[in-house]
Amino acid sequence: MLVDPGRSGTGLLMPDRAQLHEKAKELETAFLSEMLAHTSLGKAPESFGGGVGEDQFASYLRAAQAKLIVDKGGLGLAQTIFESLLKAQEKQNDR
């Protein structure tokens, strides 16, 4: 976080652009993970499945897959979220 020296008083905390971008990527990752869950991707077969244990750890696999997708460019959702966060920050700073 950066402190805006132009503000009077203690200063306004402003998130670093890299932090905003990382948060936007985290949001896209969470979104993709949920979408992968609804597609039943990686669902265990009825026979010879891993049982309850496999079901318990499936969310970790989906989260890792979603992170890899985002790291490779994703859907572009992170960039849209990042730009929205920047615009909101600019409006807040103009007050």
Side-chain angles (χ1 to χ4, degrees):
M1 295 274 219
L2 303 172
V3 177
D4 184 358
R7 297 282 181 175
S8 60
T10 60
L12 177 65
L13 291 178
M14 298 184 327
D16 184 346
R17 288 175 66 95
Q19 285 178 320
L20 284 179
H21 197 263
E22 189 59 36
K23 291 299 177 187
K25 286 173 62 175
E26 287 175 17
L27 282 169
E28 183 175 6
T29 299
F31 173 77
L32 279 173
S33 182
E34 275 301 308
M35 293 303 102
L36 289 173
H38 290 286
T39 64
S40 300
L41 181 67
K43 185 176 180 183
E46 295 298 320
S47 59
F48 302 108
V52 176
E54 186 173 355
D55 292 339
Q56 294 293 318
F57 289 96
S59 65
Y60 293 108
L61 176 60
R62 284 191 304 273
Q65 290 169 331
K67 183 168 179 4
L68 287 172
I69 292 170
V70 171
D71 288 345
K72 295 290 184 180
L75 305 173
L77 187 59
Q79 186 63 33
T80 302
I81 294 170
F82 174 68
E83 290 168 2
S84 295
L85 289 171
L86 280 179
K87 285 180 187 177
Q89 185 67 41
E90 288 172 1
K91 284 182 182 179
Q92 185 179 6
N93 289 340
D94 288 340
R95 292 184 189 175

